[in-house]
Amino acid sequence: MTAFAVDPEALKDTVVAALGGKARRVEVRLGEVTVEVAAADYLAAARILRDAPGCRFEQLIDLCGVDYSAYGDGRWEGARFCAVSQLLSVSLNQRVRLKVFAPDDDFPVVASVTRLWHSANWYEREAFDLFGIVFEGHDDLRRILTDYGFIGHPFRKDFPLSGHVEMRYDAEQRRVIYQPVTIEPREITPRIIREDNYGGIK
């Protein structure tokens, strides 16, 4: 059995006591505590996790978006988009994962936690750019990885592998232009054809 600096079950109990009714689900898997909260309680729950004496998660070390649309071979029945944060308490040497699902699949919106943890700034911009999750209250929510004129959100499960548009330099117009993708879908795994009895194999 692996020894943990903080007993995950004890941390789970601490988090449950701190969050009370704001916690939808708290579970321990592989020695890690995961907390799920409703979008309406997200900001308040995050503040409690940062400030409560037994929690004191002073640092947000990562935040990412998740698209659950094809999760479990399409058997997933919950909300589609989720923001997942990894929180660290340096003072208490413990970690927790915080999950919140956006209630509207067509226009996913959750609160921004940048006022609680400044490190969330670029992570939220990345999740917005790649998944289209809007973080309400973010001071500068704009694309961070794709081009300003990019159409769509490339990490969504329904985004085409070739994209929607491509860009190229047009010598006549003397500028970069966007146009519909001209790449034909192709097989990316090379076909290997061997003769009968190749290498003495029958």
Side-chain angles (χ1 to χ4, degrees):
M1 179 101 181
T2 306
F4 297 101
V6 175
D7 177 26
E9 291 296 336
L11 177 57
K12 174 186 172 182
D13 294 341
T14 301
V15 168
V16 167
L19 292 178
K22 288 183 172 49
R24 270 190 173 172
R25 183 184 314 140
V26 183
E27 62 182 2
V28 177
R29 271 198 196 162
L30 303 174
E32 297 179 346
V33 179
T34 301
V35 182
E36 183 186 327
V37 297
D41 297 324
Y42 178 48
L43 196 57
R47 190 182 305 278
I48 290 168
L49 289 173
R50 186 193 66 177
D51 298 339
C55 299
R56 292 171 60 188
F57 293 101
E58 309 101 344
Q59 290 188 2
L60 181 143
I61 55 175
D62 189 29
L63 184 149
C64 67
V66 181
D67 181 354
Y68 276 83
S69 62
Y71 185 75
D73 295 326
R75 292 190 301 271
W76 178 257
E77 294 181 1
R80 177 177 176 181
F81 295 103
C82 178
V84 182
S85 304
Q86 310 292 339
L87 305 179
L88 169 66
S89 171
V90 176
S91 56
L92 299 178
N93 192 21
Q94 58 191 17
R95 295 170 186 263
V96 73
R97 179 180 298 113
L98 176 62
K99 295 174 68 174
V100 59
F101 283 89
D104 185 352
D105 291 348
D106 295 326
F107 187 59
V109 179
V110 296
S112 171
V113 292
T114 52
R115 289 185 174 89
L116 301 177
W117 298 285
H118 296 300
S119 59
N121 190 334
W122 281 24
Y123 293 131
E124 289 182 351
R125 284 181 60 189
E126 184 180 73
F128 163 71
D129 191 359
L130 301 178
F131 291 93
I133 300 171
V134 175
F135 291 88
E136 193 171 28
H138 192 289
D139 291 335
D140 189 20
L141 194 63
R142 58 191 162 102
R143 293 191 181 274
I144 191 170
L145 295 173
T146 59
D147 188 66
Y148 294 118
F150 192 87
I151 297 172
H153 305 283
F155 277 15
R156 288 189 174 191
K157 299 282 178 72
D158 53 5
F159 192 82
L161 292 177
S162 60
H164 296 290
V165 295
E166 63 186 15
M167 56 187 246
R168 67 175 176 83
Y169 180 76
D170 187 286
E172 291 179 8
Q173 298 183 44
R174 296 159 118 193
R175 66 181 182 88
V176 173
I177 63 167
Y178 289 87
Q179 62 188 37
V181 174
T182 57
I183 299 172
E184 303 246 341
R186 64 184 188 275
E187 191 175 316
I188 58 174
T189 306
R191 275 182 74 198
I192 300 171
I193 302 173
R194 295 194 171 113
E195 318 128 8
D196 291 341
N197 204 20
Y198 178 82
I201 301 171
K202 294 183 180 179

